[in-house]
């Protein structure tokens, strides 16, 4: 069960949109609509941002959106703000009844 | 309000045993999956395993199967993560997590328990 693949870093200027990719296999991302995304600021516990590919929990800004195509999922942050600077992790349910996280992406706001 | 309150930080020596805890409140403890996520210093998140306190159904990541034991005591609404013989490589932050919609993702996270293993 290998970690899902994410780019190590993504950056953008305030107001821009950025997209983080998350690539897995047919046994995880491609097989289920249970992709989720988490945001983690330094020294803090992660926070759920997106669940079931596209759903935002209550209180999460609509600047965050998710999508999936085949074995790859994406998180898009539009109208980038300084507070969005953090680490982001994808996760997927797997055919083993477990979950697997992505390798993590550091988002930098220039 | 859902809360997951974890036990305090631990400093242990290699070879020692350890059991850390996570007390859930504000929800039906026996009806939702609760589990553990590891984060080694400066590294990413790793899914360790989960348990359904209602029937003790437990699932482990292959990476952690046989290395740790996850359990729950529903009478005191507490989940546990334990090691029989710690290694220096077990040094990490451990987060307690809960999935309100099933074993698919984690809505709620505890504050984390830092485990340091050093001789």
């Amino acid at each position: 069960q290998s970690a899902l693949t994410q780019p190590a870093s993504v950056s953008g200027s305030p107001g821009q949109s950025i997209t983080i990719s998350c690539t897995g296999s047919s046994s995880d991302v491609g097989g289920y609509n249970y992709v989720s995304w988490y945001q983690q600021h330094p020294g803090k516990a992660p926070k759920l941002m997106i669940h079931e590919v596209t759903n935002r929990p209550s209180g999460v800004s609509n600047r965050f959106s998710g999508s999936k195509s085949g074995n790859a999922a994406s998180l898009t942050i539009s109208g980038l703000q300084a507070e969005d600077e953090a680490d982001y992790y994808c996760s997927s349910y797997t055919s083993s009844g477990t979950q697997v996280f992505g390798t993590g992406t550091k988002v930098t706001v220039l | 309000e859902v809360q997951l309150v974890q036990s305090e930080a631990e400093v242990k020596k290699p070879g020692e045993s350890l059991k850390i805890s996570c007390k859930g409140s504000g929800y039906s403890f026996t009806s939702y999956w609760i589990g553990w996520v590891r984060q080694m210093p400066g590294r990413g998140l790793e899914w360790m395993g989960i348990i359904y306190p209602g029937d003790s159904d437990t699932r482990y990541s292959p990476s952690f199967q046989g290395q740790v034991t996850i359990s729950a005591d529903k009478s005191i609404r507490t989940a546990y993560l334990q090691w029989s013989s710690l290694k220096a490589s077990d040094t990490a932050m451990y987060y307690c997590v809960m999935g309100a919609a099933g074993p698919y993702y984690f809505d709620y996270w505890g504050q984390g328990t830092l485990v340091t293993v050093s001789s």
Side-chain angles (χ1 to χ4, degrees):
Chain A
Q1 187 170 301
S2 301
L4 307 176
T5 301
Q6 298 181 230
S9 62
V10 173
S11 62
S13 300
Q16 285 187 329
S17 292
I18 61 169
T19 297
I20 303 168
S21 61
C22 171
T23 304
S25 70
S26 58
S27 296
D28 37 64
V29 175
Y32 305 91
N33 285 325
Y34 286 118
V35 175
S36 51
W37 290 90
Y38 301 87
Q39 176 193 64
Q40 186 180 33
H41 286 110
K44 301 293 187 183
K47 173 187 175 184
L48 179 67
M49 304 300 283
I50 296 285
H51 63 89
E52 292 167 276
V53 180
T54 60
N55 297 332
R56 280 186 309 276
S58 174
V60 172
S61 171
N62 59 10
R63 298 185 298 104
F64 291 84
S65 62
S67 63
K68 191 187 91 165
S69 177
N71 295 339
S74 296
L75 174 71
T76 298
I77 309 175
S78 58
L80 199 62
Q81 299 180 0
E83 68 207 47
D84 300 332
E85 186 160 294
D87 294 326
Y88 291 82
Y89 296 90
C90 62
S91 177
S92 175
Y93 186 69
T94 79
S95 57
S96 302
T98 61
Q99 297 175 38
V100 60
F101 282 108
T103 50
T105 298
K106 182 177 180 61
V107 168
T108 301
V109 180
L110 300 171
Chain B
E1 178 196 8
V2 172
Q3 283 194 309
L4 300 173
V5 179
Q6 299 184 227
S7 49
E8 296 296 313
E10 301 271 3
V11 179
K12 303 293 266 187
K13 291 183 171 17
E16 291 186 330
S17 62
L18 175 65
K19 193 173 190 177
I20 62 175
S21 66
C22 171
K23 187 173 179 67
S25 62
Y27 70 99
S28 174
F29 184 76
T30 55
S31 300
Y32 300 104
W33 292 86
I34 190 165
W36 296 91
V37 172
R38 183 175 81 173
Q39 188 166 39
M40 298 174 74
R43 307 296 294 274
L45 305 177
E46 297 174 273
W47 195 91
M48 300 180 73
I50 50 173
I51 186 168
Y52 189 79
D55 62 8
S56 296
D57 182 12
T58 309
R59 304 175 186 181
Y60 293 93
S61 162
S63 301
F64 293 95
Q65 179 84 50
Q67 306 304 308
V68 298
T69 300
I70 293 172
S71 61
D73 185 337
K74 53 190 178 185
S75 69
I76 54 172
R77 306 172 62 86
T78 299
Y80 300 98
L81 176 65
Q82 68 180 91
W83 296 260
S84 58
S85 181
L86 286 160
K87 303 186 282 287
S89 57
D90 293 317
T91 295
M93 181 70 81
Y94 292 89
Y95 291 103
C96 174
V97 290
M98 190 271 275
Y104 310 113
Y105 56 90
F106 299 128
D107 313 72
Y108 300 96
W109 293 66
Q111 82 276 20
T113 296
L114 180 62
V115 173
T116 303
V117 183
S118 174
S119 55

